[in-house]
Amino acid sequence: MTPSDSAAPRDASPIVNPEPLSEGEIAFEGALRPKSLAEFVGQARVRGQLQLLIEAAGIQNRTPDHILLAGPPGLGKTTLAMIVAHESDRPLRLTSGPAIQHAGDLAAVLSSLVPGEVLFVDEIHRMARTAEEMLYLAMEDFRIDIMVGKGAGATSIPLDLAPFTLVGATTRSGLLPNPLRDRFGFTAHLEFYSTDELVHVLRRAAALIELSIDEAALVEIAQRSRGTPRIANRLLRRVRDYALVHGGRASTSVVDSALELYDVDVLGLDRLDRAVMDILITRFNGGPVGLSTLAVSVGEEAETIESVVEPFLVRVGLITRTPRGRVATPAGWRHMGIGRPSGSLFGDDL
Ligand SMILES: Nc1ncnc2c1ncn2[C@@H]1O[C@H](COP(=O)(O)OP(=O)(O)OP(=O)(O)O)[C@@H](O)[C@H]1O
């Protein structure tokens, strides 16, 4: 995915944005990408399922079934698509939903595939509707109908395609029409990574970039990475820079100093996350408060708060959503280091 495709606007402290930020970062990520399922950390269930799918196709000498990879950005969907192609020893073609704005764009890609090619379509939910419809037939019968002419004289010419495997990636599987979703032989839902898994990702990345780092420092970075390998690798890069400039091995104090510089706290909250927590607690006494009021109070778009900030704060248990608005949990008060007044919405012993 290219940086300009990013769906979520986010200007404040982009270091914990799970989207790739720049071409430079994309190149850095490329160098760290695991090349095989064995090297891919975590997602054990999905790995096992993909392994089976690839091996079964290999035994029958056919293209693997179409695969849908669903989950938040930065969890490894592109990496897995590359691994599928690599492990099944097939060429890979990369494109994305936003690049397919007309059925003709898709027809051009599909008709130029070589037999057995793996076609990766990132953000498949953003493809044009007319292209989606063309894809149904292509996935099912390896065939498309090309419309020639307009109006009463229009005719459709069938075109046979080389057999291919479609790997679609989406952060919004709910937006995919059912007929498209149903045509994937296998759907994998990627989960956020545990701290242990992220330590593993980071250890591997540190070795690849030849960074000497303490085990405790890896844990410290992992805990601040919001369950996301892309963010973990990005924080590691900043820690590497800090260690380079200030000299010496990357220790926990180097991690602390580097990430303090970038406003990433011990749970991975950035400046905007903390601003939301702070306003919720200090101005609204922990809530409940409505989304738009909260957004205006921190000077951010409501969409950014709803799609980027809030899901993470809810996931780590610092706020909850109630019918009357957002409420800071006891853990939220504690994390902000502010004593909770008695008689607040939650019981005191929660
Ligand atoms: N399981 C993993 N093990 C090791 N590294 C990983 C893993 N998952 C992701 N990464 C690393 O994280 C970075 C981002 O991964 P990737 O580009 O595959 O994410 P994505 O889910 O496709 O994101 P997007 O939806 O934004 O395209 C890459 O550098 C990749 O190497």
Coordinates of all heavy atoms in Angstrom, one line a residue, residues 1 18-20 25-26 28-34 39-43 71-80 120 122-123 169-171 190 193 197 200-201 204 228-231 233, ligand 1:
M1 N 0.8 -1.2 0.0 CA 0.0 0.0 0.0 C 0.9 1.3 0.0 O 1.9 1.3 0.6 CB -0.8 -0.1 1.3 CG -1.6 1.1 1.5 SD -2.7 0.7 2.8 CE -2.6 2.3 3.6
P18 N -0.6 3.0 12.3 CA -0.3 1.7 11.7 C -0.1 1.6 10.2 O 0.2 0.6 9.7 CB -1.5 0.8 12.2 CG -2.6 1.8 12.4 CD -2.0 3.1 12.8
E19 N -0.4 2.7 9.5 CA -0.2 2.8 8.0 C 1.3 3.0 7.8 O 1.9 3.7 8.5 CB -1.0 3.9 7.4 CG -2.5 3.9 7.8 CD -3.3 2.9 7.0 OE1 -2.7 2.3 6.1 OE2 -4.5 2.7 7.3
P20 N 1.8 2.6 6.6 CA 3.2 3.0 6.3 C 3.3 4.5 6.0 O 2.4 5.1 5.5 CB 3.5 2.2 5.0 CG 2.2 1.8 4.4 CD 1.2 1.8 5.6
E25 N 10.2 4.2 4.5 CA 9.7 3.2 5.4 C 9.3 1.9 4.7 O 9.6 0.8 5.2 CB 8.6 3.7 6.3 CG 8.1 2.6 7.2 CD 7.1 3.0 8.3 OE1 6.1 3.6 7.9 OE2 7.4 2.8 9.5
I26 N 8.7 2.1 3.5 CA 8.3 0.9 2.8 C 9.6 0.1 2.4 O 9.6 -1.1 2.5 CB 7.5 1.4 1.5 CG1 6.1 1.9 2.0 CG2 7.3 0.2 0.6 CD1 5.3 2.6 0.9
F28 N 12.4 0.1 4.0 CA 12.9 -0.5 5.3 C 12.1 -1.8 5.6 O 12.7 -2.8 6.0 CB 12.8 0.5 6.4 CG 13.1 0.1 7.8 CD1 14.5 -0.1 8.1 CD2 12.1 -0.1 8.7 CE1 14.8 -0.5 9.4 CE2 12.5 -0.5 10.0 CZ 13.8 -0.7 10.4
E29 N 10.8 -1.7 5.5 CA 9.9 -2.8 5.8 C 10.2 -4.0 4.8 O 10.3 -5.1 5.3 CB 8.4 -2.4 5.5 CG 7.9 -1.6 6.7 CD 6.4 -1.5 6.5 OE1 5.8 -1.8 5.5 OE2 5.8 -1.0 7.5
G30 N 10.5 -3.7 3.6 CA 10.8 -4.7 2.6 C 12.0 -5.5 3.0 O 12.0 -6.8 2.9
A31 N 13.0 -4.9 3.6 CA 14.2 -5.6 4.0 C 13.9 -6.5 5.2 O 14.6 -7.4 5.5 CB 15.3 -4.5 4.4
L32 N 12.9 -6.2 6.0 CA 12.6 -6.9 7.2 C 11.5 -8.0 7.0 O 11.2 -8.8 7.9 CB 12.1 -6.0 8.3 CG 13.1 -4.9 8.8 CD1 12.5 -4.1 9.9 CD2 14.4 -5.5 9.2
R33 N 10.9 -8.1 5.8 CA 9.8 -9.0 5.6 C 10.3 -10.4 5.7 O 11.2 -10.8 5.0 CB 9.2 -8.8 4.2 CG 8.0 -7.9 4.2 CD 7.5 -7.8 2.8 NE 7.1 -6.5 2.5 CZ 6.0 -5.9 3.0 NH1 5.3 -6.5 3.9 NH2 5.7 -4.7 2.7
P34 N 9.6 -11.3 6.5 CA 9.9 -12.7 6.5 C 9.5 -13.3 5.1 O 8.6 -12.8 4.5 CB 8.9 -13.3 7.5 CG 8.3 -12.1 8.3 CD 8.5 -10.9 7.4
E39 N 9.4 -18.4 9.0 CA 10.0 -17.1 9.5 C 8.9 -16.2 10.1 O 9.2 -15.2 10.8 CB 10.7 -16.4 8.4 CG 12.2 -16.7 8.2 CD 12.7 -15.8 7.1 OE1 12.5 -16.1 5.9 OE2 13.4 -14.8 7.5
F40 N 7.7 -16.3 9.6 CA 6.6 -15.4 10.0 C 6.2 -15.7 11.4 O 5.9 -16.8 11.8 CB 5.4 -15.7 9.0 CG 4.3 -14.6 9.1 CD1 4.4 -13.5 8.4 CD2 3.2 -14.8 10.0 CE1 3.4 -12.5 8.4 CE2 2.2 -13.9 10.0 CZ 2.3 -12.7 9.3
V41 N 6.3 -14.7 12.2 CA 6.1 -14.8 13.7 C 4.5 -14.7 14.0 O 3.8 -13.9 13.4 CB 6.8 -13.7 14.4 CG1 6.5 -13.8 15.9 CG2 8.3 -13.7 14.1
G42 N 4.1 -15.6 14.9 CA 2.7 -15.4 15.4 C 1.7 -15.9 14.4 O 2.0 -16.6 13.4
Q43 N 0.4 -15.6 14.7 CA -0.7 -16.0 13.8 C -0.6 -17.5 13.5 O -0.8 -17.9 12.3 CB -0.7 -15.2 12.5 CG -0.5 -13.7 12.6 CD -1.7 -13.0 13.2 OE1 -2.8 -13.5 13.3 NE2 -1.5 -11.7 13.6
G71 N -7.9 -7.8 8.4 CA -7.4 -7.4 9.7 C -6.8 -6.0 9.6 O -6.6 -5.5 8.5
P72 N -6.5 -5.4 10.8 CA -6.1 -4.0 10.8 C -4.7 -3.8 10.1 O -4.0 -4.8 9.8 CB -5.9 -3.7 12.3 CG -6.7 -4.8 13.0 CD -6.7 -6.0 12.1
P73 N -4.3 -2.6 9.7 CA -3.1 -2.4 9.0 C -1.9 -2.8 9.8 O -1.9 -2.7 11.0 CB -3.1 -0.9 8.7 CG -4.3 -0.3 9.4 CD -5.1 -1.4 9.9
G74 N -0.8 -3.2 9.1 CA 0.4 -3.4 9.7 C 0.6 -4.8 10.4 O 1.6 -5.0 11.1
L75 N -0.4 -5.7 10.2 CA -0.3 -7.0 10.9 C 0.3 -8.1 10.0 O 0.5 -9.2 10.4 CB -1.6 -7.5 11.4 CG -2.4 -6.6 12.4 CD1 -3.5 -7.3 13.0 CD2 -1.5 -6.1 13.5
G76 N 0.6 -7.8 8.7 CA 1.3 -8.7 7.9 C 0.6 -9.3 6.7 O 1.0 -10.4 6.2
K77 N -0.4 -8.6 6.2 CA -1.2 -9.1 5.1 C -0.4 -9.2 3.8 O -0.3 -10.2 3.1 CB -2.5 -8.3 4.9 CG -3.4 -8.3 6.1 CD -4.7 -7.6 5.9 CE -4.5 -6.1 5.8 NZ -3.9 -5.5 7.0
T78 N 0.3 -8.1 3.5 CA 1.2 -8.0 2.3 C 2.3 -9.1 2.4 O 2.6 -9.8 1.5 CB 1.8 -6.6 2.2 OG1 0.8 -5.7 2.2 CG2 2.5 -6.5 0.9
T79 N 2.8 -9.2 3.6 CA 3.9 -10.2 3.9 C 3.4 -11.6 3.6 O 4.1 -12.4 2.9 CB 4.4 -10.0 5.3 OG1 4.7 -8.7 5.6 CG2 5.6 -10.9 5.6
L80 N 2.2 -11.9 4.1 CA 1.7 -13.2 3.9 C 1.4 -13.5 2.4 O 1.6 -14.6 1.9 CB 0.4 -13.4 4.7 CG 0.6 -13.7 6.1 CD1 -0.7 -13.8 6.9 CD2 1.3 -15.1 6.3
F120 N -2.1 -10.1 -5.9 CA -2.4 -9.6 -4.6 C -3.1 -8.2 -4.8 O -2.6 -7.3 -5.4 CB -1.1 -9.3 -3.8 CG -1.3 -8.6 -2.5 CD1 -2.1 -9.2 -1.5 CD2 -0.7 -7.4 -2.2 CE1 -2.4 -8.6 -0.3 CE2 -0.9 -6.8 -0.9 CZ -1.8 -7.4 0.0
D122 N -4.4 -5.3 -2.6 CA -4.5 -4.7 -1.2 C -5.7 -3.8 -1.2 O -6.1 -3.3 -2.3 CB -3.2 -3.9 -1.0 CG -2.9 -3.6 0.5 OD1 -3.7 -4.1 1.3 OD2 -1.9 -2.9 0.8
E123 N -6.3 -3.6 0.0 CA -7.5 -2.8 0.1 C -8.5 -3.1 -0.9 O -9.0 -2.2 -1.6 CB -7.1 -1.3 0.0 CG -6.2 -0.9 1.1 CD -6.2 0.7 1.1 OE1 -5.4 1.2 0.4 OE2 -7.0 1.2 1.8
A169 N -6.6 -8.4 0.3 CA -6.3 -7.9 1.7 C -7.3 -6.8 2.0 O -7.6 -6.0 1.1 CB -4.9 -7.4 1.9
T170 N -7.9 -6.8 3.2 CA -8.8 -5.8 3.6 C -8.7 -5.4 5.0 O -8.6 -6.3 5.9 CB -10.3 -6.1 3.2 OG1 -11.1 -5.0 3.5 CG2 -10.8 -7.4 3.8
T171 N -8.8 -4.1 5.3 CA -8.9 -3.7 6.7 C -10.4 -3.6 7.1 O -10.7 -3.4 8.3 CB -8.3 -2.3 6.9 OG1 -8.8 -1.5 5.9 CG2 -6.7 -2.4 6.8
L190 N -6.5 -11.8 10.7 CA -5.3 -11.6 11.5 C -5.6 -10.9 12.8 O -6.4 -9.9 12.8 CB -4.3 -10.8 10.7 CG -3.9 -11.4 9.3 CD1 -2.7 -10.7 8.8 CD2 -3.5 -12.9 9.5
Y193 N -0.8 -8.8 17.8 CA 0.2 -9.7 18.3 C 0.4 -9.5 19.8 O 0.2 -8.4 20.3 CB 1.5 -9.4 17.6 CG 1.5 -9.8 16.2 CD1 0.7 -9.1 15.2 CD2 2.3 -10.8 15.7 CE1 0.7 -9.5 13.9 CE2 2.3 -11.2 14.4 CZ 1.5 -10.6 13.5 OH 1.5 -10.9 12.2
E197 N 5.2 -12.2 21.1 CA 5.3 -12.3 19.6 C 6.1 -11.1 19.1 O 6.9 -11.2 18.2 CB 4.0 -12.5 19.0 CG 3.3 -13.9 19.3 CD 1.9 -13.9 18.9 OE1 1.2 -12.9 18.7 OE2 1.4 -15.1 18.7
H200 N 9.7 -11.3 19.6 CA 10.2 -12.2 18.6 C 10.5 -11.4 17.2 O 11.5 -11.5 16.6 CB 9.3 -13.3 18.4 CG 9.8 -14.5 17.7 ND1 9.6 -15.8 18.2 CD2 10.6 -14.7 16.6 CE1 10.2 -16.7 17.4 NE2 10.8 -16.0 16.4
V201 N 9.4 -10.7 16.8 CA 9.5 -9.9 15.6 C 10.7 -8.9 15.7 O 11.5 -8.8 14.8 CB 8.2 -9.1 15.3 CG1 8.4 -8.0 14.2 CG2 7.1 -10.0 15.0
R204 N 14.3 -10.5 15.7 CA 14.7 -10.8 14.3 C 15.1 -9.6 13.5 O 16.1 -9.5 12.8 CB 13.5 -11.5 13.6 CG 13.7 -11.9 12.2 CD 12.4 -12.6 11.7 NE 12.6 -12.7 10.2 CZ 12.3 -11.8 9.4 NH1 11.9 -10.6 9.8 NH2 12.6 -11.9 8.1
T228 N 1.2 -4.3 17.0 CA 1.4 -4.2 15.5 C 2.8 -4.3 15.1 O 3.6 -3.4 15.4 CB 0.8 -2.9 15.1 OG1 -0.6 -2.8 15.6 CG2 0.8 -2.7 13.6
P229 N 3.2 -5.3 14.3 CA 4.6 -5.4 13.9 C 5.2 -4.2 13.2 O 6.3 -3.8 13.4 CB 4.6 -6.6 13.0 CG 3.5 -7.4 13.4 CD 2.5 -6.5 13.9
R230 N 4.3 -3.5 12.3 CA 4.8 -2.3 11.6 C 5.2 -1.3 12.6 O 6.3 -0.7 12.4 CB 3.7 -1.8 10.7 CG 4.1 -0.4 10.1 CD 3.2 0.1 9.0 NE 3.3 -0.7 7.8 CZ 2.3 -1.2 7.1 NH1 1.1 -0.9 7.6 NH2 2.5 -1.9 6.1
I231 N 4.4 -1.1 13.7 CA 4.8 0.0 14.7 C 6.0 -0.5 15.4 O 6.9 0.3 15.7 CB 3.6 0.2 15.6 CG1 2.4 0.8 14.8 CG2 4.0 1.2 16.7 CD1 1.2 1.0 15.6
N233 N 8.5 -2.3 14.4 CA 9.7 -2.1 13.6 C 10.1 -0.6 13.5 O 11.2 -0.2 13.5 CB 9.5 -2.7 12.2 CG 9.6 -4.2 12.2 OD1 10.2 -4.8 13.1 ND2 9.1 -4.8 11.1
Ligands
LIG1 N1 4.3 -11.9 11.6 C1 5.3 -11.1 11.3 N2 6.6 -11.5 11.6 C2 7.6 -10.6 11.3 N3 7.4 -9.4 10.7 C3 6.2 -9.0 10.4 C4 5.1 -9.9 10.7 N4 3.9 -9.2 10.3 C5 4.3 -8.1 9.8 N5 5.7 -7.9 9.8 C6 6.4 -6.8 9.4 O1 5.6 -5.6 9.6 C7 5.7 -4.7 8.5 C8 4.3 -4.5 7.9 O2 3.7 -5.7 7.4 P1 2.8 -5.8 6.1 O3 3.2 -4.7 5.2 O4 2.7 -7.1 5.7 O5 1.4 -5.3 6.8 P2 0.0 -5.2 6.2 O6 -1.0 -5.9 7.1 O7 0.0 -5.6 4.7 O8 -0.3 -3.7 6.2 P3 -1.2 -2.8 5.2 O9 -2.6 -3.2 5.5 O10 -1.0 -1.4 5.7 O11 -0.7 -3.0 3.9 C9 6.6 -5.4 7.5 O12 7.9 -4.9 7.6 C10 6.7 -6.9 7.9 O13 7.9 -7.4 7.7

